[in-house]
Amino acid sequence: MGLLLVLRAPLPHPRSLRRATRAQRRERLRTDAEEWAIAEERGLLLDVSVEDLLPLRNAAGGNRLPVLGQLDPWSDGVFTREDLPQLAADVDRLGAAAGDAAERGLVAALKALLVRWRDEPGLVLNWYGD
């Protein structure tokens, strides 16, 4: 299972695909996949394994973390620029709790994504869970 973190321009209003036709759903997924491939090339996308993130988050404080504590890896959501300072502090807590090279690598990747976010104003951080 994975958690996809993507920096992208804010969407005007998410449309529900509940009443969409199959063709509309396929087109939306195709468009998202193309956008995510471009974002990955530009360093604006991070695919995180839930099995790696949750134990690290729990070791760092779990639900008591102000921003990462809200993160539900099985749903979708958006972090705004107002969340960035606290999110950076939460990632620092993850770094303090990291116990092995894989966890430290995950923290380094999260920090790199946050640095990229600081450098590119006008973007929001979307998460897409399994």
Side-chain angles (χ1 to χ4, degrees):
M1 292 195 312
L3 177 68
L4 197 62
L5 300 167
V6 181
L7 289 171
R8 65 193 306 187
L11 299 174
H13 181 56
R15 292 185 181 174
S16 172
L17 293 180
R18 187 175 51 179
R19 294 185 180 179
T21 65
R22 285 187 192 150
Q24 288 170 322
R25 284 190 183 108
R26 277 195 304 269
E27 178 62 23
R28 170 85 180 265
L29 291 173
R30 186 188 64 73
T31 303
D32 283 346
E34 289 172 0
E35 180 183 349
W36 293 342
I38 293 168
E40 187 170 27
E41 290 173 7
R42 294 183 56 214
L44 302 175
L45 179 139
L46 181 61
D47 192 0
V48 178
S49 169
V50 173
E51 289 85 10
D52 296 336
L53 179 63
L54 288 183
L56 181 58
R57 185 181 75 169
N58 291 339
N63 292 337
R64 292 187 310 271
L65 294 173
V67 177
L68 287 179
Q70 303 173 40
L71 183 72
D72 181 2
W74 295 278
S75 67
D76 301 341
V78 178
F79 291 128
T80 62
R81 301 250 342 142
E82 290 80 28
D83 296 320
L84 183 57
Q86 190 59 55
L87 183 57
D90 285 0
V91 171
D92 288 341
R93 288 185 189 155
L94 291 179
D100 61 16
E103 289 178 344
R104 287 189 292 277
L106 173 58
V107 171
L110 286 168
K111 285 183 178 185
L113 187 66
L114 294 181
V115 167
R116 188 67 194 251
W117 190 12
R118 282 188 191 110
D119 293 343
E120 298 214 19
L123 299 179
V124 294
L125 180 61
N126 291 265
W127 84 79
Y128 301 96
D130 276 341

